[in-house]
Amino acid sequence: MKEAVARQMRHYTREIKILTCLVGGAVHAFGVNMFIVPLGLYSGGFLGASQIMRTLLMQGLHTDFGGRDIAGILYLFLNVPVLIMAYRCLGKHFFVKTVTCVLASSFFLSVIPIPAVPLVPDTLTGCLIGGIVCGLGAGLIFKNGGSSGGTDVLGVYFTKKYRSASVGRISLMFNGIIYAFCLLLFTPSIAIYSIIYVTFQSFVVDKVYTQVINVQAMIMTNSDGEAIRHAILEQFHRGVTLLDGVGGYTGQPRKVLYTVLSKYEAGILTRMIHELDPDAFVVLNEGCSVSGRYLRHMG
């Protein structure tokens, strides 16, 4: 009975996460179309590449495509090879969420109307507001285990394959190429304001997406620690080390479990331990530095 309830709860949680990812995609697309595109600025990653391609096509073909922004459609096509890579190399769960988020983003980018006149005339103010809205949307996607495709998938793939690679480094390199093109093809002000927008968006994403913050967790328990160890391995797919300790006051033997996970996971772990072992003592140390083969989960 308990196992059936647990399975049902996991299924329900997955549905809520996917729904939240869709909301995040809509919020991100709203921020892009309402604040960034009317100012003539460009996003980073594959979306930025799609926007540059859209502008070049409009200039080359001398058409506005019926007043529709085709960047969302181009974004979908650019992601096709990356989605194939995700399916083959990164697992079914990650692939399903990535496809869902990419399709949702492409749809919302295509249907949300773009104002003919910027809602915020001041470019810097528009960058900041757009960064807040888009960062909130992207943060919701990442926090619930989703991925916007593009450099996110490339980053995860190369992180698994090469020790020196990271999602952030791959994204930074790709964005450097995007804004180098902006500098060559357009005016320096467009490149500069676009960089300001993406930088502020990244700041907001980090505030929402707590998976980027490492937390050390030390759990002291009078039990054998097996229930907690099993929960860490099964629920978070994290390594855990068991140590033998002695209570300084009582002199009684205790088990000490040590693991490193994200801030988001740490909150879930604390609640789980309270249910599994109410007498356990938990110490959390936020912001620790980790080197070596530490897997940064997408969700």
Side-chain angles (χ1 to χ4, degrees):
M1 181 67 178
K2 288 184 178 180
E3 292 182 359
V5 172
R7 284 196 299 270
Q8 187 175 4
M9 287 300 297
R10 285 195 296 268
H11 180 70
Y12 176 74
T13 301
R14 283 196 294 268
E15 289 182 342
I16 292 296
K17 285 188 173 185
I18 291 175
L19 180 60
T20 307
C21 286
L22 295 177
V23 173
V27 172
H28 180 266
F30 177 84
V32 170
N33 283 6
M34 286 294 170
F35 297 102
I36 303 307
V37 175
L39 292 171
L41 304 181
Y42 294 85
S43 301
F46 276 35
L47 179 56
S50 303
Q51 291 170 334
I52 291 175
M53 292 171 61
R54 171 255 288 151
T55 301
L56 295 178
L57 285 171
M58 289 175 63
Q59 293 176 351
L61 299 176
H62 303 288
T63 179
D64 63 353
F65 297 101
R68 291 285 181 179
D69 189 350
I70 63 168
I73 298 173
L74 295 173
Y75 172 74
L76 178 60
F77 281 118
L78 285 180
N79 269 287
V80 169
V82 174
L83 293 175
I84 295 173
M85 177 190 296
Y87 177 75
R88 291 180 175 176
C89 306
L90 301 179
K92 180 181 178 181
H93 183 65
F94 184 77
F95 169 74
V96 169
K97 282 193 174 181
T98 301
V99 169
T100 302
C101 292
V102 168
L103 290 174
S105 295
S106 177
F107 173 76
F108 289 124
L109 286 167
S110 300
V111 300
I112 293 177
I114 299 172
V117 178
L119 297 180
V120 182
D122 182 70
T123 305
L124 181 58
T125 305
C127 286
L128 298 182
I129 296 176
I132 292 173
V133 177
C134 293
L136 175 61
L140 287 174
I141 292 173
F142 297 147
K143 187 170 184 175
N144 288 275
S147 164
S148 57
T151 53
D152 296 333
V153 176
L154 293 176
V156 173
Y157 172 76
F158 284 112
T159 298
K160 287 178 174 288
K161 196 168 184 180
Y162 304 105
R163 285 178 177 265
S164 60
S166 70
V167 177
R169 194 170 298 159
I170 297 297
S171 178
L172 185 63
M173 290 172 56
F174 195 88
N175 285 347
I177 296 172
I178 292 296
Y179 294 122
F181 271 102
C182 287
L183 190 61
L184 292 173
L185 297 172
F186 313 118
T187 63
S189 62
I190 288 178
I192 292 170
Y193 280 119
S194 296
I195 292 172
I196 292 173
Y197 148 64
V198 169
T199 301
F200 201 75
Q201 174 185 267
S202 300
F203 173 79
V204 175
V205 167
D206 285 347
K207 292 298 180 182
V208 177
Y209 178 48
T210 51
Q211 290 283 46
V212 298
I213 302 174
N214 296 327
V215 174
Q216 296 180 76
M218 295 188 68
I219 304 107
M220 278 67 75
T221 176
N222 293 323
S223 69
D224 60 6
E226 281 302 305
I228 299 174
R229 181 189 71 83
H230 186 266
I232 293 172
L233 293 174
E234 294 297 320
Q235 180 73 20
F236 306 109
H237 305 289
R238 298 292 190 185
V240 56
T241 300
L242 277 73
L243 305 170
D244 292 319
V246 177
Y249 180 74
T250 63
Q252 297 298 316
R254 309 193 76 179
K255 279 292 183 184
V256 180
L257 294 88
Y258 177 84
T259 186
V260 177
L261 28 66
S262 74
K263 184 176 180 179
Y264 174 71
E265 293 167 331
I268 299 175
L269 176 64
T270 303
R271 293 191 293 272
M272 289 176 58
I273 291 173
H274 180 71
E275 295 176 0
L276 293 171
D277 188 352
D279 295 325
F281 183 67
V282 184
V283 177
L284 300 177
N285 181 24
E286 183 178 314
C288 62
S289 176
V290 181
S291 63
R293 296 294 289 178
Y294 174 70
L295 179 61
R296 194 177 299 281
H297 293 172
M298 292 298 291

